[in-house]
Amino acid sequence: LSCLGTRWLGRDMRLFAQLASTNELAISLAQKGESGTVILAEVQTRGRGRLSRHWESPSGGIWMSLILRPDIPIALAYQINMAICVAVCRAISNLLGLNPGIKWPNDLLIGERKVGGILMEVQAEGERLEYAVVGVGINANIDPSAFPDDWMATSLSREGGSEVSRTALIQRTLLEIERAYENLGSMEIYDEWRRRSVTIGRMVRISANSGELVGEVEDLAEDGALLLRRDDELVRVLAGDCIHLRG
Ligand code: BT5
């Protein structure tokens, strides 16, 4: 563990050749599992995205989940998602010199293409957060041409032109996550999250609980909300699915 370089994240690290989903296993362990437990699988057979979507997880990617127990109100759970998105981008850019952007709320893009995604699942205990399981999926050394074109997927090996060391990237990612986590809720994280956003200024279509909204994204708020301009009205969207529109 000393070679991992982290102080507490990954102290308990479990590696599997194959799992249904690292998030699923992490959730089943979360009640007892220590904060900082990391679950990694080479292949996931039922990897999941948000809204019960499927996450394709062939060999060569990085599919991992972290169990975290910050003592914060459940209303601040968005800070975890924000910090982890930023940390994963930092790891990729510091180690590989690629510069990922964040497509609100949880996609990691290189150019216009999706190179990874974050899936946070939380459990509340009254008003407090009991635990958060954060899944991180990174298309490291995979061939994205095997995926449907409309996913607009890419991988680090494709973007960088050569295979990346997953060991080095996992290590760096955990280090960056530990650092960002200790800065939860800071302006530093919010600023970088906003700066890396590829959604500000774009025309988007958003499906949220309240229905479908189309408009231009004016900004992203400190609480993670997307601020959508529709004529002379500014709408706050806290959660939803965002499609960038062209033109
Ligand atoms: C996400 O969902 O982007 C979150 C993905 C989180 C995956 C990690 S892997 C480790 C952990 N364990 C799990 O079971 N999950 C987490 P969402 O925004 O809903 O995006 C899902 C959509 O992305 C799908 O409907 C496809 O269109 C597309 N997609 C699926 N697999 C992909 C891949 N490998 N690369 C790029 N796009 C993909």
Side-chain angles (χ1 to χ4, degrees):
L1 280 171
S2 53
C3 66
L4 193 57
T6 56
R7 289 192 294 111
W8 52 269
L9 185 60
R11 189 169 289 268
D12 180 358
M13 186 181 300
R14 308 189 190 186
L15 310 176
F16 296 83
Q18 182 175 309
L19 279 179
S21 151
T22 56
N23 262 42
E24 183 181 294
L25 180 65
I27 287 172
S28 73
L29 296 172
Q31 233 129 33
K32 287 194 229 113
E34 242 187 290
S35 187
T37 299
V38 175
I39 316 277
L40 268 151
E42 178 66 38
V43 167
Q44 297 185 113
T45 53
R46 279 204 316 267
R48 57 199 200 204
R50 292 177 315 128
L51 312 168
S52 322
R53 286 189 290 237
H54 174 69
W55 183 260
E56 194 63 36
S57 317
S59 179
I62 295 175
W63 322 123
M64 69 175 173
S65 299
L66 325 174
I67 301 174
L68 300 170
R69 299 174 172 286
D71 184 20
I72 57 173
I74 186 81
L76 298 184
Y78 69 86
Q79 293 177 349
I80 305 172
N81 183 58
M82 211 181 257
I84 300 228
C85 285
V86 166
V88 176
C89 289
R90 284 178 177 168
I92 292 172
S93 79
N94 293 341
L95 194 71
L96 305 172
L98 295 166
N99 195 24
I102 301 168
K103 174 166 167 272
W104 186 90
N106 71 326
D107 288 353
L108 305 179
L109 304 191
I110 293 186
E112 291 281 314
R113 295 190 165 269
K114 183 155 171 171
V115 76
I118 310 289
L119 173 66
M120 181 171 79
E121 299 183 86
V122 298
Q123 179 67 43
E125 196 170 29
E127 305 266 284
R128 308 296 290 178
L129 184 77
E130 187 192 345
Y131 64 79
V133 162
V134 187
V136 176
I138 306 174
N139 295 338
N141 302 321
I142 64 174
D143 175 9
S145 65
F147 298 159
D149 282 346
D150 64 348
W151 287 8
M152 297 280 290
T154 191
S155 65
L156 297 175
S157 55
R158 159 132 158 209
E159 296 297 326
S162 60
E163 298 229 325
V164 302
S165 160
R166 285 186 291 164
T167 311
L169 184 55
I170 290 164
Q171 180 188 15
R172 189 64 190 243
T173 303
L174 293 177
L175 265 174
E176 296 290 352
I177 290 176
E178 189 176 271
R179 241 188 76 208
Y181 183 81
E182 288 172 358
N183 249 329
L184 223 52
S186 67
M187 279 310 278
E188 183 201 337
I189 301 272
Y190 165 65
D191 285 343
E192 184 165 345
W193 181 71
R194 191 169 165 277
R195 199 166 60 241
R196 286 193 181 272
S197 164
V198 295
T199 303
I200 296 171
R202 298 285 298 260
M203 281 299 292
V204 299
R205 183 167 67 236
I206 296 188
S207 22
N209 287 341
S210 48
E212 238 189 33
L213 297 162
V214 176
E216 187 179 331
V217 177
E218 186 147 307
D219 208 345
L220 298 175
E222 264 177 76
D223 64 356
L226 180 144
L227 305 175
L228 192 71
R229 166 72 57 193
R230 297 172 73 219
D231 304 322
D232 48 8
E233 192 191 10
L234 200 57
V235 186
R236 284 172 54 83
V237 189
L238 267 172
D241 229 26
C242 173
I243 295 175
H244 286 171
L245 302 173
R246 287 175 192 281

